[in-house]
Amino acid sequence: MVTAKAWVLKKHFEGFPKTSDFDLKEIKLPNLKDGELLLESVFLSVDPYMRVYSRTVMKEGDIMIGTQVASLTAYFGLLEVCKIKPGETVLVNAAAGAVGSVVGQIAKIGGCKVVGCAGSDDKVAYLKKIGFDEAFNYKTVKSLDEALRKASPDGYDCFFDNVGGEFASIAINQMKKYGRIAVCGAISLYNDSVPQKGPYMQVPMILKELRMEGFIVHRWNNRREEGVKALLKWVVEGKVKYHEQVTEGFENMPMAFIGMLKGENLGKAVVKV
């Protein structure tokens, strides 16, 4: 009998997750059947979706949802939902995160102007280093509306939204006619105990004839190999650069998860087991 360690959801999150919401347990794994393999994880991923799914698909006492490191989200969200074209202007928020940083670089490969925002000056410097045309710290600008307008006076053709909430409500007013919005995440809302209220998006959606589409990457599971091959090729060619925020030790996974939700990571947040 093989034993393993697992993080269990001890208590459903109320507002922002706390370390006391988790419990580290030792579990016994079932015996292998003919043809089965037992693999040992080396790196694990912590991602914003885990906060949402913990409430919608988990009950207290369940092993915490999660995956080993793998992402195809930026590739399909940008190319299949936003459907970028050369010469267009693309806006990305949470741009220094795992998805946002790759979205911006793929958009550059596709011949677009890219504007990104992040929550620290170090992250802004990173965005400029990896090729974003414009980048700003949304926490220090006097007006988000003015910062967006300054970065692209003519507006935005595509908006890859990882944040939602107030940011999206402001950004939607600067979309160009027939603009496309890919809703990948809403991290600004995940930890709210009380749902945020307006402003609402219907009027600019109608007047600008915008298209907004939410998506989950599993839609393209049958094309996963295509996405991996394309991204790997760009990485090898130096067209896509990446950064990993590595937390050492499985026992520190809750802290890595909480830190990711607070925006403490630059690039992909992973845990080295």
Side-chain angles (χ1 to χ4, degrees):
M1 182 68 71
V2 178
T3 60
K5 291 181 179 180
W7 281 106
V8 170
L9 181 65
K10 183 178 181 181
K11 182 182 178 184
H12 275 299
F13 308 130
E14 296 179 3
F16 218 91
K18 305 179 291 294
T19 54
S20 59
D21 295 328
F22 302 88
D23 194 16
L24 183 59
K25 291 191 174 183
E26 192 170 88
I27 59 174
K28 293 181 179 179
L29 301 180
N31 292 324
L32 294 176
K33 299 177 183 179
D34 288 343
E36 291 184 335
L37 293 173
L38 179 62
L39 302 178
E40 181 179 7
S41 299
V42 178
F43 289 93
L44 298 173
S45 176
V46 288
D47 300 284
Y49 81 87
M50 297 164 65
R51 174 64 178 86
V52 182
Y53 279 42
S54 68
R55 173 64 70 177
T56 57
V57 303
M58 294 180 64
K59 62 181 183 297
E60 293 179 352
D62 284 352
I63 293 175
M64 189 63 191
I65 192 170
T67 60
Q68 299 184 30
V69 178
S71 178
L72 306 161
T73 302
Y75 179 86
F76 291 112
L78 189 64
L79 300 183
E80 296 297 326
V81 180
C82 274
K83 297 185 182 297
I84 58 169
K85 304 179 185 69
E88 292 188 323
T89 301
V90 177
L91 172 63
V92 190
N93 54 17
V99 174
S101 59
V102 177
V103 167
Q105 293 179 85
I106 295 176
K108 289 300 298 178
I109 292 171
C112 297
K113 173 184 177 180
V114 182
V115 176
C117 76
S120 75
D121 292 342
D122 286 342
K123 290 181 178 181
V124 169
Y126 173 69
L127 295 180
K128 293 180 178 178
K129 180 180 179 181
I130 62 175
F132 278 63
D133 296 286
E134 301 285 345
F136 63 88
N137 182 346
Y138 72 91
K139 292 182 178 179
T140 59
V141 295
K142 292 182 180 179
S143 165
L144 178 58
D145 183 72
E146 291 178 5
L148 289 170
R149 201 174 304 279
K150 180 180 179 181
S152 182
D154 295 329
Y156 299 90
D157 301 282
C158 302
F159 172 27
F160 196 102
D161 186 16
N162 296 301
V163 175
E166 182 182 9
F167 189 105
S169 298
I170 293 173
I172 198 169
N173 289 293
Q174 297 197 29
M175 297 297 294
K176 294 181 181 180
K177 189 91 168 178
Y178 310 119
R180 290 92 66 203
I181 303 168
V183 184
C184 177
I187 197 169
S188 69
L189 309 177
Y190 293 161
N191 298 300
D192 289 347
S193 299
V194 179
Q196 296 181 21
K197 294 184 178 180
Y200 303 102
M201 300 183 176
Q202 286 82 354
V203 172
M205 288 285 294
I206 294 167
L207 296 180
K208 295 174 180 284
E209 300 184 63
L210 305 177
R211 181 171 61 82
M212 176 185 286
E213 182 178 346
F215 71 96
I216 299 174
V217 71
H218 301 311
R219 185 194 308 181
W220 296 282
N221 273 351
N222 63 329
R223 294 173 57 190
R224 183 179 184 277
E225 186 176 354
E226 170 197 330
V228 171
K229 284 183 176 179
L231 289 166
L232 181 59
K233 178 176 182 291
W234 289 331
V235 169
V236 171
E237 293 173 348
K239 294 179 180 178
V240 169
K241 300 176 177 64
Y242 63 93
H243 186 277
E244 295 173 334
Q245 191 86 26
V246 181
T247 298
E248 296 276 349
F250 183 69
E251 68 278 6
N252 294 316
M253 196 161 192
M255 289 304 299
F257 174 63
I258 293 169
M260 176 274 303
L261 289 176
K262 290 181 178 178
E264 294 175 356
N265 59 296
L266 176 64
K268 183 74 191 79
V270 297
V271 176
K272 184 177 180 181
V273 178

